[in-house]
Amino acid sequence: MTITPILLCGGSGTRLWPLSRKSFPKQFADIVGEDSLFQASALRFAGQGFSDPVVITGDRFRFVVSEQLEAVGISPAGILIEPDGRNTAPAAIAAAVFAAQQDPEALILLVPSDHAVANPQAFRDAVALAQPAAREGQIVTFGITPTRAETGYGWLEAGEQTHEGVYALSRFVEKPDLAQAEKLFGDDRYLWNAGVFLASAQTLITAFQEHAPEIYAPVQAALESSFGDLAFTRIDPDLWAKVPEDSIDYAVMEKANNVSLVRFDGHWSDLGSWESVWQESGKDAQDNALSGNATALNCEGSLLRSESDGIELVGIGLKNTVAIAMNDAVMVADISDSQNVKQAVQTLHARGAKQAVQLPVDYRPWGWFETLVLADRFQVKRIHVHPGASLSLQSHVHRSEHWIIVAGTAKVTVDDEIKLLTENQSVYIPLGAVHRMENPGKVPMVLIEVQTGSYLGEDDIIRYEDIYARN
């Protein structure tokens, strides 16, 4: 029996701010390794013994999900679009019901998409160990052998062994304070809670029907009214709005009596803070983790990351410090206090700072753009268009645009005129003109766009045609 991975791909992106934000949370970023955390999660459970994954994510990330999966050669069995986030319980049961519709006997593996695992094969081996219990109707969760008295994770207490390598789960333990964490760390029965679950889809459905019917019923109704949109399945937004928010632990797992536990002794992290990123990073002789244009002079135990080619980050005499520099934001903190970054995000959000939620780079299905300059009545952007991609046929009410091609070839439509532009050529788009840019080539097309007008917001767009079915 193959296992269907269910990749839970939501999140607010606050804990690794400013690199991770609501507009582009951490699972899509290259934090450790060459692949994003989402890509690494998908690859971890691909190949023999696993079927194509089901992904559940938000509307704004749907094309990022499909693009990143395509880049690593994975074709999903389905991409479910949550109208809005409702925590892990609704997402998990929605994906379970969807998987059961494809295969009533499906064995599913619920996996957060933002974890780091040093040895993927070892984790697959742990999943294989859990299969017999899962086939017998158990919900099997995975406990990580702890390496420290961690206060940022929930913990699990292992009970009696029921199968080879499988134990009854005695209880969930909330994130402890330091004194309690030290006690748990000294007791072999206690493990970190990885938030990964293996069960048959029907077992999970039954558990929700019994322990969380107030979640199961509206989720099932919303799925029954779902509809296709290109390669995605959109869950009915009106019915989804009736679904209460809750985590899968609170809603079901802490109430069920058929939850088992498999111990994973390998290296694992949920990368839930900059301190955990420092722990997972390669370090110099002074325990400094550096990336990008970062330089450390007389520093110890610090994490310094420059996420911009144009910014040199220099630390002098720092100890146990995290400093993250981006084009539009810089964060500096004591590394032991980095779990409080979300409080900084809340403060910025209350002040109306766009950096709280929005990256300077905005990802779209056709590519991405970056705002270089924004001032009164003009804006300058760098726009990257993927090979074969096309922006919508559109017009603007409040602005005109100048396009300068700096790489590749652009096919440009302005009202009734269509022409090809190559490097160093430009075109003017008058206010109100119906226009489109396309990349007909096999290499990326890059242009500089200068907007001028009384209003420069992204909502000043009237779309007439769009291959991505956007309004």
Side-chain angles (χ1 to χ4, degrees):
M1 180 184 293
T2 59
I3 297 171
T4 300
I6 305 294
L7 302 178
L8 305 176
C9 199
S12 59
T14 58
R15 293 192 291 174
L16 295 186
W17 186 91
L19 177 61
S20 171
R21 307 188 198 180
K22 186 175 182 180
S23 69
F24 198 75
K26 66 174 181 175
Q27 63 262 29
F28 301 123
D30 300 331
I31 296 176
V32 290
E34 296 181 358
D35 296 318
S36 72
L37 297 175
F38 169 66
Q39 289 172 316
S41 296
L43 290 170
R44 191 176 306 134
F45 304 111
Q48 186 175 4
F50 296 93
S51 57
D52 294 332
V54 173
V55 182
I56 181 160
T57 189
D59 179 69
R60 69 189 308 164
F61 308 131
R62 65 195 191 281
F63 292 108
V64 177
V65 163
S66 58
E67 184 178 312
Q68 290 202 355
L69 288 178
E70 182 180 3
V72 294
I74 292 178
S75 299
I79 299 177
L80 293 175
I81 307 301
E82 285 183 288
D84 57 84
R86 286 283 187 260
N87 211 325
T88 54
I93 191 58
V97 171
F98 181 86
Q101 290 171 347
Q102 315 300 311
D103 176 9
E105 303 298 321
L107 203 61
I108 62 174
L109 183 70
L110 295 170
V111 185
S113 61
D114 56 358
H115 292 179
V117 176
N119 188 339
Q121 183 57 53
F123 207 101
R124 287 193 290 268
D125 292 343
V127 172
L129 199 63
Q131 280 198 56
R135 290 197 189 102
E136 293 175 11
Q138 291 291 301
I139 302 171
V140 185
T141 189
F142 295 82
I144 309 300
T145 301
T147 57
R148 58 188 180 274
E150 177 61 57
T151 61
Y153 300 151
W155 293 63
L156 306 169
E157 182 184 352
E160 297 296 321
Q161 182 168 323
T162 59
H163 300 71
E164 180 183 356
V166 182
Y167 302 83
L169 178 66
S170 293
R171 66 182 177 117
F172 288 82
V173 181
E174 296 297 318
K175 293 179 181 179
D177 59 24
L178 182 57
Q180 185 185 11
E182 289 175 344
K183 291 180 181 179
L184 298 177
F185 183 51
D187 189 328
D188 288 343
R189 294 174 300 168
Y190 292 96
L191 308 167
W192 292 341
N193 183 0
V196 178
F197 300 93
L198 178 71
S200 73
Q202 190 55 55
T203 294
L204 201 63
I205 289 170
T206 300
F208 269 84
Q209 289 172 332
E210 180 178 352
H211 302 294
E214 73 284 0
I215 294 176
Y216 174 76
V219 166
Q220 183 186 42
L223 270 178
E224 288 176 351
S225 297
S226 64
F227 54 95
D229 176 8
L230 300 177
F232 312 107
T233 299
R234 287 190 176 274
I235 299 173
D236 185 280
D238 295 329
L239 295 173
W240 187 257
K242 301 176 182 179
V243 178
E245 296 187 32
D246 207 349
S247 72
I248 189 170
D249 284 357
Y250 285 143
V252 172
M253 300 305 169
E254 294 184 6
K255 302 172 184 176
N257 58 10
N258 60 331
V259 182
S260 296
L261 171 66
V262 166
R263 178 189 294 267
F264 177 64
D265 293 322
H267 193 72
W268 167 94
S269 174
D270 77 341
L271 296 177
S273 69
W274 282 115
E275 183 176 16
S276 64
V277 173
W278 171 77
Q279 290 165 347
E280 296 300 311
S281 302
K283 303 178 185 68
D284 63 17
Q286 287 72 44
D287 260 353
N288 299 307
L290 309 176
S291 65
N293 302 324
T295 302
L297 301 176
N298 194 28
C299 296
E300 297 177 16
S302 295
L303 172 66
L304 307 179
R305 293 177 67 119
S306 172
E307 299 295 333
S308 171
D309 292 337
I311 293 180
E312 293 287 342
L313 174 61
V314 180
I316 302 175
L318 301 176
K319 292 185 178 180
N320 304 323
T321 299
V322 53
I324 313 298
M326 301 189 68
N327 281 344
D328 65 336
V330 176
M331 192 276 293
V332 182
D334 186 289
I335 203 164
S336 65
D337 205 32
S338 62
Q339 288 195 25
N340 293 322
V341 169
K342 63 168 57 176
Q343 296 177 12
V345 175
Q346 292 168 356
T347 300
L348 290 174
H349 195 273
R351 282 172 36 198
K354 66 179 182 180
Q355 289 90 338
V357 297
Q358 183 65 50
L359 276 178
V361 174
D362 197 327
Y363 293 89
R364 298 300 173 94
W366 44 261
W368 53 265
F369 69 81
E370 178 182 13
T371 297
L372 305 177
V373 180
L374 176 59
D376 186 32
R377 295 190 63 86
F378 79 92
Q379 180 172 206
V380 181
K381 292 181 177 180
R382 174 170 57 176
I383 299 178
H384 174 112
V385 183
H386 297 319
S390 170
L391 279 70
S392 60
L393 185 67
Q394 60 185 253
S395 66
H396 307 295
V397 176
H398 301 286
R399 70 175 186 254
S400 58
E401 298 173 345
H402 301 256
W403 297 346
I404 305 167
I405 312 304
V406 296
T409 300
K411 180 181 178 182
V412 176
T413 299
V414 182
D415 290 329
D416 296 328
E417 183 180 7
I418 300 176
K419 55 185 175 182
L420 290 177
L421 300 178
T422 57
E423 294 180 18
N424 299 318
Q425 293 185 313
S426 62
V427 63
Y428 171 61
I429 313 297
L431 186 151
V434 177
H435 61 280
R436 171 162 42 202
M437 74 173 74
E438 304 170 65
N439 181 357
K442 297 185 180 299
V443 297
M445 183 265 287
V446 181
L447 62 89
I448 300 298
E449 177 183 86
V450 180
Q451 302 176 355
T452 59
S454 59
Y455 178 72
L456 306 174
E458 286 302 310
D459 55 350
D460 181 23
I461 295 178
I462 301 172
R463 286 194 174 95
Y464 304 97
E465 296 176 8
D466 184 60
I467 63 174
Y468 309 108
R470 296 171 296 170
N471 294 326

